[in-house]
């Protein structure tokens, strides 16, 4: 159903079924399609209230029909993730589309500095199906194991899945050394067993600072 037309364009073949996608990300389609804006990121009133409180902005649309629909967003690289009952955690700004049957929600991830448009919550995707996530440049898929925990700059973090524990720790970043930090720099530490998606470019953050 999901396939990459190119590294920056997602093609979704539909036969009457539906997908959820980032609002405004449709670039072309053939066949017959219907579009509907979803409130609260497709999570209903509770999701809408949660996102309003945290300042996280994710507006999704439902696309349903017969034919092929093409999605893209600011020429970002697209990565396909297959889910078999597990949960994918992703920054809302990095989510492009999901199978209509996958459930989206939010989860509290602790006290951290906020990316633009993001807050203390991370978007969750659960169920069986496919999701398409975006990265600024080709994403790095990094393995985390008991022997090898992983530390990530918050501006480069895209998503993670698996049995991972996430914590936030202060530390020195390159921006701090260059005098660009505005407070106490911090990093995200992952421990356990799973994978983390990292982009080779940092999104704008409030200095990655607490």
């Amino acid at each position: 159903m999901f396939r990459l037309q190119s590294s920056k364009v997602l093609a979704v073949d539909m036969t009457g079924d539906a997908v959820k996608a980032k609002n405004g990300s449709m670039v072309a389609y053939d066949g017959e399609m219907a579009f509907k804006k979803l409130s609260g990121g497709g999570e209903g009133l509770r999701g809408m209230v949660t996102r309003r409180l945290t300042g996280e902005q994710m507006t999704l649309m439902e696309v349903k029909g017969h034919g092929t629909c093409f999605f893209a967003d600011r020429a970002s690289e697209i990565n396909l993730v297959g889910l078999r009952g597990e949960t994918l955690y992703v920054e809302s700004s990095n989510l492009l589309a999901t199978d209509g049957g996958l459930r989206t929600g939010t989860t509290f991830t602790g006290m951290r500095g906020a990316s633009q448009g993001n807050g203390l919550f991370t978007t969750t995707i659960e169920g069986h199906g496919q999701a398409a996530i975006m990265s600024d440049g080709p994403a790095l898929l990094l393995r985390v194991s008991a022997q090898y925990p992983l530390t990530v700059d918050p501006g480069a973090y895209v998503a993670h899945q698996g049995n991972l524990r996430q914590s936030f720790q202060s530390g020195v970043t390159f921006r701090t050394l260059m005098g660009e930090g505005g407070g106490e720099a911090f990093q995200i530490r992952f421990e356990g067993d799973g994978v983390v998606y990292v982009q080779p470019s940092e999104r704008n953050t409030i200095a990655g600072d607490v």
Side-chain angles (χ1 to χ4, degrees):
M1 190 176 178
F2 280 26
R3 56 185 173 86
L4 293 181
Q5 187 73 14
S6 72
S7 65
K8 299 179 181 180
V9 178
L10 171 69
V12 182
D13 300 313
M14 287 183 276
T15 57
D17 35 12
V19 298
K20 290 181 285 190
K22 184 175 183 178
N23 197 41
S25 62
M26 187 278 295
V27 294
Y29 69 88
D30 58 41
E32 298 294 329
M33 300 288 169
F35 301 86
K36 180 175 69 174
K37 184 177 180 180
L38 298 175
S39 299
E43 303 162 28
L45 181 60
R46 181 178 178 183
M48 185 185 300
V49 171
T50 298
R51 293 185 185 283
R52 185 169 296 165
L53 289 174
T54 62
E56 182 173 289
Q57 300 173 0
M58 182 182 73
T59 305
L60 295 179
M61 61 180 177
E62 181 184 73
V63 184
K64 187 175 183 179
H66 293 78
T68 302
C69 198
F70 300 91
F71 301 94
D73 185 54
R74 294 170 297 175
S76 298
E77 297 283 336
I78 300 172
N79 311 269
L80 297 183
V81 181
L83 297 177
R84 296 180 295 276
E86 66 267 46
T87 301
L88 174 69
Y89 301 85
V90 59
E91 287 286 352
S92 63
S93 60
N94 293 94
L95 177 61
L96 179 63
T98 73
D99 281 346
L102 290 174
R103 300 180 302 278
T104 57
T106 55
T107 185
F108 183 70
T109 56
M111 299 303 294
R112 64 182 171 105
S115 303
Q116 284 189 354
N118 300 284
L120 300 176
F121 287 72
T122 295
T123 296
T124 59
I125 305 169
E126 300 175 271
H128 292 78
Q130 286 185 296
I133 60 177
M134 300 178 292
S135 58
D136 186 2
L140 305 174
L141 184 58
L142 302 176
R143 167 65 61 178
V144 181
S145 66
Q147 295 81 13
Y148 297 99
L150 180 69
T151 302
V152 177
D153 186 287
Y157 168 78
V158 172
H160 73 273
Q161 63 186 132
N163 185 22
L164 293 176
R165 299 181 302 280
Q166 185 179 1
S167 60
F168 302 90
Q169 60 185 25
S170 60
V172 176
T173 67
F174 180 73
R175 285 173 299 175
T176 304
L177 293 174
M178 295 297 292
E180 297 177 4
E184 182 185 5
F186 79 102
Q187 299 158 337
I188 309 174
R189 182 178 174 88
F190 293 94
E191 298 175 278
D193 181 39
V195 294
V196 179
Y197 294 82
V198 177
Q199 61 186 9
S201 174
E202 295 183 47
R203 72 176 67 82
N204 291 328
T205 66
I206 34 185
D209 300 328
V210 177

